Amino acid sequence: MKHYLHSAEEVFQEVQSSPEGISESTAQQRLEENGKNKLKEAKKKSIISRFVDQLKDPMIIILIVAAVISAVTEYFESSASGGRFFPTDTVIILAVVIINAVLGVVQESKAEAAIEALQEMSAATSKVIRGGKLLSVRSEDLVVGDVVVLEAGDAVPADCRIFESASMKIEEAALTGESVPVGKIISVLNGGEKDEVALGDRKNMAYMGSTVVFGRGKAVVVATGMDTEMGKIADALAKAEDGETPLQKKLNQLSKVLTWLVLGICIFIFAFQVISTKLGGNAISFDLVLASFMTAVSLAVAAIPEGLAAVVTVVLSIGVTNMSKKNAIIRKLTAVETLGCAQIICSDKTGTLTQNKMTVVDHYGEDEVLIAKAMALCCDAEFDDKGEVKGEPTEAALVSYADSLGYNKNDLVDDAPRIGEAPFDSGRKMMSTVHQTAEGIVQYTKGAPDVILGKCTHALVDGEIVPFTDELKSKALKDNKRMADKALRVLAVSMRKYDVAPTDFVPESLEKDLIFIGLTGMIDPVRPEVKDAIVECRRAGITPIMITGDHKDTAVAIAMELGIITDPSHAITGAELNEISDEDFAEKVTQYQVYARVQPEHKTRIVNAWKARGMITAMTGDGVNDAPSIKSADIGIGMGITGTDVTKNVADMVLADDNFATIVGAVSEGRRIYDNIRKAIQFLLGSNLSEVLSIFIASIMSFTILKPVHLLFINLVTDCFPALALGFEKPESDIMDRKPRKSTDGIFSGGLGIDCAYQGILVTLLTLAAFFIGEFLETGHWQFTHIANCEEGMTMAFLTMSMCEIFHSFNMRSQRGSVLRMSFGEKSHNAFLYIAMVASLVLTTTIIEVPFLAEAFGFVNLDIRAYLISIALAFSIIPIVEIIKAFQRAAAKKKAA
């Protein structure tokens, strides 16, 4: 039943109730049959389930496989030597896996706890008439047929058909996006040819999620819980699918590549050694197979960046912490990165771009003070005990307007108490109040300009009351149009003087022979910081889109003021959008940046149209009507203060200060995080490539340059510290001058793959050089064929590779920028990187110089000469890469020219 198309009597009959309400027994029965009046909550995952989800990542799976392989290798090795079996490498790898998973689970749990702290129960109790008695009932216990009493300030607890209304106005911005409260009526609506009325125009209905701001009324509940309009929207959220973020996709692709690479390397080297032994005429023994297998495992360990998963998680966590300090709560670790590459930001207008607070911004009339005083007295809004204005938003704006000129409403009332009134009526479109003043009896009448002007016979000009000529009326109408063209809501105010107080306060007696005073224009003003945020978005290559349930003229005016559009032709209404097919809209979506009078399904359609064009799309909003599109967007941004529970629950990020400008900081932080993750990936993969090449070349030449345990130490200790330190890098100076990344860009885009390759080769050459120098120092001659396993060469190679990667991490502070310029010029030092360098140097030196550790790792103590040679070789990576970067910058500059 479409309750808004039927009379109150028919609705009562349908729900088997009456104006006296239902009985307690009936209410209890219906509650048991239909359930609580609340929205279904999404089932939360258990801690174990979340932990398992963390282990499903391909990179983590690779680490677990590596742990198993290491355990098997160490078992055979200990069996062959007769030593005690203890899987040291396996324990280390599994520790990394567990720490990474725990970090992810803890972060998700902390984010959810923060969201729960933001949520507040609305309409916890309701005034209900049951059995003819007024009761206070928990809102969740309401049932269909209950009669609720609504007053200003009450949250509407369920969907209701109104049957009594005394100038009642309801704020429905959270549901429809309309910033101006809707005046409610009790009569039957006309559904037109299609027998349908838009949600925002159903004036005889009150919906869950809205708030009464003026007047009072009674209504009968026709839908509760998931059957309400809010429930239908919440139910639609389940149909919107969660997709992978760009970073997740890239890391999954990288994991797959590494998986096949590791398998290929292991099979190749194992087969190569076995076949070369066979071709050399030697028998294939178990020891040979085991040795070949261990070499293959060494390559596998070298190829897998064991610390990558942990580094990515920690870098993202650092970003989340930074965001929380800037009033943004991240619910998913990768969400902040997604925002960093957003190309489209779709935002609701009311409360997000604007303040959701009507404000007088213009006026017409020679006596502004009189205009303000008259408007303030001729309204029911007033200051409460806390000094805040309470009442219908339009009238609250008038009281604030007078207060801004130094006239407090309470003082005005003391000086001119109200002695009579003709309340506002939507049919008359005006209201009148009569006051006792020191000068006599004065009546003020305010309302729609066309109506007020028609009632005026005189006007106030130069302090004198003169006839309201056609010329004066034309001037007033001209200014009315001027303000209306700026999408201002215009009200007129007039006065009438009496020698004695009138005895009849009916509108017909009061509202005639009025004296025109002036006009006021008001609007829901933009947030002052949003304009700069829009400029910043444009500079960063991001297109802002306004989506609102408000009228087109208002939306266009706000959008043009903010710089979202420059021409009204870039705006379209929901009704016009309905006439465009999905196929045509996908082609035309770039033409529109403002959408007015839209329904929730329009918002989702807009988001999907942009996504279909391959654009990374973000959606901000606070109302229930934003929730489906927030869910469908690549990243949903909810509002923490004014946002509804439904919206905050589906958002990827919640702005604790409801500030659109906070998004600018989030974009910068997201880009910084992605940059730093790329730096960590480049560093780790370049390092692992050098290990793979070193082991591969040594295997081909039949000598051991590094053992699996050496590689694990480098990967998990030497590499992890600087990789983590790179996560603390500050944003580069041009980070918000770049265009957003394309969703198709791979991790290795922008020459990162080539950089990894040449830098890995450089470290390999320096490591091999250290080994051969060590062999020369030990044997006294150079040997490049039939090389024996040399402990000093292996120790120098280990020290060189470890410190080379430490020094190389400084090169990674920028892919193309000079590390010298960054350190001593435009950018401050990264203290964490220096700490990582010192820590790694100390740890590396310790396992070489402390006897029992050196013995465990198979090292020998190095003299000062060998030690300094290794450090010098390692440090040379900085000037070499600096020279290559200089050539790369010159080539890029020449290409740009």
Side-chain angles (χ1 to χ4, degrees):
M1 182 181 190
K2 295 179 180 178
H3 304 95
Y4 47 87
L5 299 180
H6 296 269
S7 67
E9 291 75 17
E10 291 172 324
V11 173
F12 273 122
Q13 187 175 358
E14 169 71 18
V15 300
Q16 299 178 21
S17 184
S18 70
E20 284 73 40
I22 57 178
S23 66
E24 282 283 5
S25 58
T26 301
Q28 186 61 36
Q29 182 182 349
R30 292 184 181 183
L31 184 62
E32 292 174 359
E33 292 175 353
N34 303 318
K36 296 279 188 180
N37 174 39
K38 60 181 182 180
L39 304 182
K40 290 180 181 177
E41 297 180 356
K43 187 178 180 181
K44 293 184 178 180
K45 289 184 177 180
S46 66
I47 295 294
I48 295 176
S49 177
R50 291 181 183 181
F51 188 81
V52 171
D53 285 344
Q54 296 289 330
L55 299 180
K56 290 179 181 177
D57 184 271
M59 190 70 68
I60 299 298
I61 293 173
I62 292 176
L63 288 178
I64 293 173
V65 171
V68 173
I69 293 174
S70 295
V72 172
T73 303
E74 290 179 28
Y75 174 76
F76 281 115
E77 190 175 34
S78 62
S79 297
S81 63
R84 178 172 170 268
F85 169 65
F86 182 78
T88 306
D89 297 349
T90 301
V91 170
I92 294 173
I93 296 174
L94 291 180
V96 171
V97 169
I98 293 172
I99 291 171
N100 176 76
V102 169
L103 275 173
V105 171
V106 168
Q107 184 57 49
E108 284 187 10
S109 299
K110 285 173 64 178
E112 280 200 359
I115 293 297
E116 290 172 1
L118 282 172
Q119 294 173 347
E120 294 180 356
M121 286 294 292
S122 61
T125 60
S126 301
K127 295 181 286 291
V128 179
I129 297 176
R130 285 182 179 172
K133 296 180 180 179
L134 183 62
L135 306 172
S136 178
V137 176
R138 292 178 62 181
S139 297
E140 65 178 23
D141 293 334
L142 289 182
V143 297
V144 172
D146 264 328
V147 171
V148 294
V149 178
L150 300 171
E151 297 177 347
D154 289 346
V156 179
D159 287 1
C160 311
R161 170 64 161 88
I162 301 167
F163 66 89
E164 278 189 25
S165 175
S167 302
M168 185 165 65
K169 291 185 179 181
I170 295 181
E171 152 84 69
E172 298 178 338
L175 195 64
T176 67
E178 174 61 66
S179 59
V180 178
V182 179
K184 292 300 180 178
I185 61 176
I186 64 173
S187 57
V188 178
L189 301 180
N190 181 6
E193 294 181 1
K194 297 183 178 180
D195 203 33
E196 182 60 74
V197 178
L199 188 64
D201 296 323
R202 297 174 189 172
K203 296 185 177 181
N204 58 7
M205 298 291 293
Y207 292 104
M208 176 190 280
S210 56
T211 306
V212 181
V213 295
F214 186 78
R216 61 185 183 278
K218 293 180 182 178
V220 58
V221 175
V222 297
T224 61
M226 295 301 291
D227 294 329
T228 62
E229 290 295 328
M230 180 184 283
K232 292 174 184 176
I233 294 173
D235 193 42
L237 301 179
K239 301 176 183 176
E241 297 180 357
D242 282 318
E244 291 181 325
T245 68
L247 180 61
Q248 287 174 321
K249 293 175 182 177
K250 303 301 181 298
L251 289 178
N252 286 341
Q253 292 170 4
L254 177 61
S255 296
K256 291 176 182 177
V257 170
L258 288 177
T259 301
W260 290 109
L261 178 65
V262 168
L263 290 174
I265 290 173
C266 291
I267 293 172
F268 174 80
I269 199 65
F270 182 78
F272 176 83
Q273 290 195 337
V274 171
I275 293 173
S276 61
T277 301
K278 183 68 174 177
L279 292 176
N282 298 320
I284 300 176
S285 64
F286 175 77
D287 289 341
L288 174 64
V289 172
L290 181 59
S292 299
F293 181 73
M294 287 179 63
T295 302
V297 169
S298 297
L299 280 169
V301 172
I304 300 173
E306 286 85 354
L308 181 58
V311 166
V312 169
T313 300
V314 172
V315 170
L316 286 170
S317 296
I318 293 168
V320 168
T321 301
N322 289 339
M323 292 301 298
S324 67
K325 294 176 182 177
K326 298 175 183 177
N327 295 313
I329 298 173
I330 305 299
R331 301 190 74 225
K332 297 180 181 178
L333 279 177
T334 48
V336 66
E337 177 275 331
T338 314
L339 183 64
C341 63
Q343 297 161 295
I344 306 294
I345 297 180
C346 300
S347 172
D348 185 47
K349 176 185 74 67
T350 306
T352 308
L353 299 174
T354 65
Q355 300 175 28
N356 199 18
K357 179 182 179 183
M358 296 298 288
T359 305
V360 176
V361 295
D362 203 349
H363 79 281
Y364 168 75
E366 63 175 40
D367 192 341
E368 183 180 8
V369 170
L370 180 59
I371 293 172
K373 291 169 67 175
M375 288 287 194
L377 285 168
C378 190
C379 72
D380 294 323
E382 58 186 14
F383 285 99
D384 62 12
D385 296 337
K386 298 179 181 178
E388 298 178 354
V389 183
K390 294 296 182 183
E392 191 269 337
T394 299
E395 295 197 334
L398 296 174
V399 171
S400 297
Y401 173 48
D403 189 61
S404 69
L405 297 177
Y407 296 92
N408 184 279
K409 170 69 181 286
N410 296 343
D411 295 336
L412 292 175
V413 171
D414 291 340
D415 295 337
R418 186 184 299 185
I419 61 174
E421 65 180 298
F424 177 82
D425 180 83
S426 58
R428 296 177 9 254
K429 296 183 180 180
M430 56 181 165
M431 74 174 289
S432 299
T433 57
V434 182
H435 302 266
Q436 176 72 58
T437 71
E439 290 78 27
I441 307 300
V442 178
Q443 169 192 321
Y444 296 117
T445 300
K446 80 172 193 314
D450 55 333
V451 177
I452 295 292
L453 292 176
K455 299 285 185 179
C456 292
T457 57
H458 292 76
L460 193 65
V461 178
D462 296 330
E464 301 290 332
I465 298 175
V466 300
F468 195 43
T469 63
D470 288 343
E471 182 182 357
L472 290 175
K473 185 174 183 179
S474 176
K475 287 182 178 179
L477 289 172
K478 183 178 180 181
D479 246 66
N480 176 48
K481 184 178 185 302
R482 176 184 64 80
M483 287 189 267
D485 287 344
K486 294 195 298 181
L488 301 185
R489 186 179 185 188
V490 185
L491 289 179
V493 66
S494 60
M495 63 185 291
R496 183 180 178 184
K497 296 186 175 182
Y498 297 88
D499 293 329
V500 294
T503 56
D504 188 358
F505 293 101
V506 296
E508 293 78 10
S509 300
L510 297 179
E511 293 164 349
K512 61 183 180 180
D513 302 326
L514 303 178
I515 303 168
F516 177 71
I517 301 175
L519 306 171
T520 58
M522 64 184 72
I523 198 170
D524 181 8
V526 301
R527 289 178 177 269
E529 64 278 2
V530 167
K531 194 167 185 177
D532 289 340
I534 296 294
V535 171
E536 190 81 355
C537 284
R538 296 284 191 195
R539 189 163 64 88
I542 300 168
T543 302
I545 305 291
M546 177 194 289
I547 306 177
T548 178
D550 220 332
H551 292 281
K552 185 176 181 180
D553 289 344
T554 303
V556 168
I558 294 292
M560 293 187 73
E561 180 182 352
L562 290 173
I564 293 176
I565 60 173
T566 55
D567 192 296
S569 64
H570 296 152
I572 186 174
T573 65
E576 293 169 333
L577 185 57
N578 286 336
E579 303 300 319
I580 305 176
S581 67
D582 287 340
E583 292 75 17
D584 289 342
F585 184 48
E587 294 294 324
K588 298 178 179 178
V589 68
T590 56
Q591 299 176 17
Y592 307 111
Q593 287 81 50
V594 174
Y595 298 84
R597 303 300 284 174
V598 299
Q599 296 293 330
E601 59 270 19
H602 293 140
K603 296 188 173 189
T604 305
R605 189 179 172 198
I606 293 164
V607 169
N608 290 338
W610 281 110
K611 288 180 67 177
R613 296 180 69 89
M615 308 295 273
I616 301 298
T617 307
M619 169 67 189
T620 71
D622 55 0
V624 177
N625 59 327
D626 297 325
S629 47
I630 282 179
K631 182 74 171 179
S632 296
D634 292 298
I635 179 166
I637 309 168
M639 300 297 158
I641 299 174
T642 59
T644 57
D645 288 349
V646 174
T647 304
K648 286 183 281 191
N649 283 336
V650 301
D652 299 299
M653 180 175 81
V654 176
L655 302 181
D657 59 356
D658 284 14
N659 195 336
F660 181 88
T662 302
I663 298 171
V664 176
V667 169
S668 177
E669 184 67 15
R671 292 186 176 189
R672 183 189 74 85
I673 287 173
Y674 193 79
D675 271 7
N676 290 351
I677 287 175
R678 274 172 52 95
K679 291 171 185 176
I681 289 173
Q682 179 182 351
F683 170 71
L684 289 173
L685 293 186
S687 299
N688 281 76
L689 178 61
S690 68
E691 295 166 19
V692 169
L693 291 176
S694 298
I695 296 296
F696 184 76
I697 293 172
S699 300
I700 298 298
M701 299 178 71
S702 300
F703 70 92
T704 301
I705 190 169
L706 293 170
K707 295 178 180 178
V709 69
H710 302 157
L711 298 173
L712 274 174
F713 181 89
I714 292 173
N715 287 354
L716 298 176
V717 179
T718 306
D719 287 353
C720 271
F721 286 151
L724 288 172
L726 287 171
F728 288 92
E729 275 295 311
K730 295 179 181 179
E732 296 186 38
S733 58
D734 66 341
I735 199 164
M736 289 299 284
D737 293 324
R738 309 173 192 167
K739 297 298 180 184
R741 301 185 313 278
K742 296 179 181 178
S743 59
T744 54
D745 283 353
I747 287 179
F748 299 106
S749 62
L752 188 141
I754 295 174
D755 291 344
C756 280
Y758 91 77
Q759 289 162 10
I761 292 171
L762 280 177
V763 176
T764 299
L765 294 175
L766 292 171
T767 301
L768 289 170
F771 179 87
F772 288 119
I773 291 173
E775 184 188 42
F776 173 78
L777 293 176
E778 184 175 299
T779 63
H781 60 274
W782 298 103
Q783 182 74 29
F784 298 106
T785 59
H786 303 293
I787 305 168
N789 290 330
C790 173
E791 289 185 340
E792 184 163 357
M794 186 167 62
T795 304
M796 286 186 65
F798 173 79
L799 178 58
T800 299
M801 177 173 281
S802 295
M803 295 314 302
C804 189
E805 292 179 6
I806 289 293
F807 292 130
H808 183 49
S809 65
F810 286 84
N811 290 324
M812 295 298 96
R813 296 187 67 194
S814 175
Q815 188 179 359
R816 292 288 180 266
S818 168
V819 64
L820 299 177
R821 186 180 302 163
M822 292 175 69
S823 297
F824 304 107
E826 65 185 37
K827 195 173 180 183
S828 62
H829 294 288
N830 181 343
F832 294 100
L833 204 54
Y834 286 99
I835 293 172
M837 178 185 71
V838 173
S840 295
L841 177 60
V842 170
L843 288 172
T844 302
T845 303
T846 298
I847 65 170
I848 292 175
E849 300 300 331
V850 175
F852 77 91
L853 288 176
E855 184 179 353
F857 277 83
F859 293 144
V860 295
N861 291 337
L862 298 177
D863 59 27
I864 188 64
R865 181 178 60 167
Y867 187 88
L868 291 178
I869 289 174
S870 297
I871 295 297
L873 284 170
F875 184 80
S876 67
I877 191 70
I878 291 180
I880 294 173
V881 172
E882 278 286 288
I883 293 170
I884 296 174
K885 281 185 180 180
F887 281 108
Q888 288 176 323
R889 290 194 298 272
K893 188 175 181 180
K894 183 177 180 181
K895 183 178 180 181

